[in-house]
Amino acid sequence: MQQTTLTLTLLSERYTLHQLPPDTPIAPHWLSGGQLLSLTVTDDELSLLLPESVIIDSPRQEGPWRAFKVAGPLDFALVGIMARLSTTLANAGISLFALSTFDTDYLLVKADRCGDAASALRQSGHQVDLV
């Protein structure tokens, strides 16, 4: 794994992760606005990561989360980016929720551990910027 410095940007929004039954109809207002939105459907569930300001009636929810965006686009040939970042946070005792897109990765940490996460990432040699 190449040991280059990664640049991460802390997004300004706070997020909530919702879990719904997999056959739940998707409401259009769930998918509007925000710096980050994720919708994942499996045989077992529909998971939505939404800005905290979007209120929905979900049987399970977890948050608030803050999101660090890895500067991209990242080449698919790169190996170990998520492992390196998650190990840094694990060593600091910080749990995470990870998302990946075609261009980059996102690390979400509980809002109350956001400062600790930024410090741990900086101490391991990464640059952390604020939006």
Side-chain angles (χ1 to χ4, degrees):
M1 172 173 46
Q2 188 177 2
Q3 293 295 318
T4 58
T5 298
L6 296 170
T7 300
L8 297 96
T9 301
L10 176 62
L11 303 183
S12 60
E13 291 185 306
R14 292 163 49 116
Y15 299 91
T16 303
L17 180 63
H18 300 270
Q19 183 187 50
L20 298 151
D23 58 349
T24 302
I26 297 167
H29 79 276
W30 296 351
L31 308 178
S32 61
Q35 296 171 303
L36 176 64
L37 168 101
S38 178
L39 180 142
T40 304
V41 182
T42 69
D43 289 341
D44 301 318
E45 66 178 301
L46 184 153
S47 287
L48 284 167
L49 180 76
L50 299 172
E52 189 178 49
S53 60
V54 178
I55 308 298
I56 70 170
D57 183 22
S58 58
R60 292 184 65 198
Q61 43 185 278
E62 184 74 29
W65 298 90
R66 294 291 307 274
F68 292 91
K69 178 183 179 182
V70 179
L74 300 173
D75 188 322
F76 280 102
L78 292 173
V79 175
I81 298 293
M82 190 60 73
R84 187 170 158 206
L85 295 170
S86 63
T87 297
T88 295
L89 294 179
N91 289 339
I94 301 167
S95 62
L96 69 93
F97 169 58
L99 290 173
S100 295
T101 67
F102 197 90
D103 280 344
T104 194
D105 296 319
Y106 293 83
L107 301 174
L108 291 102
V109 300
K110 290 295 189 107
D112 64 349
R113 298 298 313 269
C114 182
D116 297 332
S119 294
L121 292 164
R122 286 184 181 117
Q123 288 173 3
S124 70
H126 303 296
Q127 179 179 332
V128 178
D129 300 326
L130 305 177
V131 164

